Amino acid sequence: MKLILLGPPGAGKGTQAQRLQDRYGLRQLSTGDMLRAAVASGSELGLTAKGIMERGELVPDGLIVGLIEDRIGQADCASGFILDGFPRTVAQAEALDRMLGSRGWKLDKVVEMDVDEAALTARIVGRFSCGKCGTGYHDVFKKAAKAGLCDVCGGSEFTRRKDDNAETVTARMAAYRSQTAPLLPYYAARGVLAKVDGMAAMDDVYRQIESVLGKS
Ligand code: ADP
Ligand code: ADP
Ligand code: ZN
């Protein structure tokens, strides 16, 4: 199964992709995580991406397409993957079509996570994750069962993204509206788009995605 989770920053893409990965053995491919790893490693890509990400703009298509192309060819993607944060422009979507086509693969579904923009800032500024295993949390909406300890790995170090602040959110929303939202009609025209209510509780959103995938 090849799946795209599509929605603005804070819509819940990463949260749901983590759950689907654990449950169905689909590999979560987050271009945001890949870029943050590149920034942390100080690679050439990381140096290019750092300032762009801090401003809430999009990294050039060519760099992102190269990352995904390398990744989907690896063995752990053979049984399927969930694209979380890619594609974000029509040019990226066209490149993805070419990549899949050249392997004889097809996209199964694009799940649109429909959310109320007014709720997204609160989701984004309260977001943090486990520094050891990457599990996502929220100050209000998803606390660890035992404060200060990761539910999954027991780790006690947590990280917050530098771009998760109210100022950057405005730029990221604008980038979503102008560059990413055109993907909705792009995929609707191909008959693969399905919408879920991203404002529902996390478990409910997950059930909606399962039912879209025919796995409930
Ligand atoms: P995205 O990957 O789309 O940017 P995340 O999955 O990281 O979004 O979610 C953003 C924040 O909102 C996280 O802290 C997450 O715990 C929280 N969150 C995700 N889904 C929901 C939901 N349905 N209701 C409330 N909070 C949510
Ligand atoms: P969010 O979870 O809030 O939607 P991501 O972690 O997916 O954010 O992305 C963080 C930042 O990384 C983006 O604001 C952008 O600068 C960059 N980025 C991630 N994916 C892409 C992409 N497919 N194309 C261009 N830039 C990207
Ligand atoms: Zn952890």
Side-chain angles (χ1 to χ4, degrees), residues 10-185:
K13 303 179 297 293
T15 300
Q16 300 300 333
Q18 269 178 1
R19 296 179 66 155
L20 292 163
Q21 162 164 286
D22 296 344
R23 175 73 179 80
Y24 296 110
L26 301 169
R27 179 59 65 188
Q28 174 190 8
L29 301 180
S30 159
T31 40
D33 286 348
M34 292 176 199
L35 289 169
R36 282 183 287 279
V39 170
S41 78
S43 68
E44 202 176 318
L45 169 65
L47 292 175
T48 307
K50 189 169 187 283
I52 299 173
M53 293 170 79
E54 284 172 6
R55 289 194 299 278
E57 295 165 6
L58 295 185
V59 172
D61 291 331
L63 297 179
I64 296 289
V65 167
L67 274 182
I68 288 289
E69 182 128 50
D70 287 348
R71 199 59 193 82
I72 65 171
Q74 291 171 22
D76 62 343
C77 289
S79 60
F81 49 82
I82 309 159
L83 293 167
D84 159 14
F86 176 92
R88 259 175 156 95
T89 64
V90 170
Q92 291 179 17
E94 289 168 349
L96 177 65
D97 284 344
R98 285 194 295 275
M99 269 180 238
L100 296 176
S102 71
R103 291 180 162 81
W105 290 351
K106 77 170 190 32
L107 193 58
D108 295 278
K109 276 278 182 258
V110 178
V111 177
E112 175 191 358
M113 306 190 60
D114 187 33
V115 281
D116 176 356
E117 236 188 71
L120 296 180
T121 302
R123 283 201 189 174
I124 288 171
V125 300
R127 166 160 64 187
F128 62 97
S129 60
C130 172
K132 199 163 150 195
C133 75
T135 297
Y137 293 94
H138 191 280
D139 292 328
V140 178
F141 307 132
K142 191 188 169 197
K143 298 179 181 176
K146 267 201 203 142
L149 288 185
C150 175
D151 296 347
V152 175
C153 76
S156 57
E157 305 242 340
F158 296 89
T159 61
R160 285 180 193 262
R161 285 167 46 179
K162 209 169 175 185
D163 60 341
D164 277 349
N165 57 69
E167 297 76 48
T168 313
V169 168
T170 309
R172 286 158 65 195
M173 294 300 174
Y176 178 80
R177 278 194 299 267
S178 66
Q179 292 172 271
T180 310
L183 296 180
L184 297 170

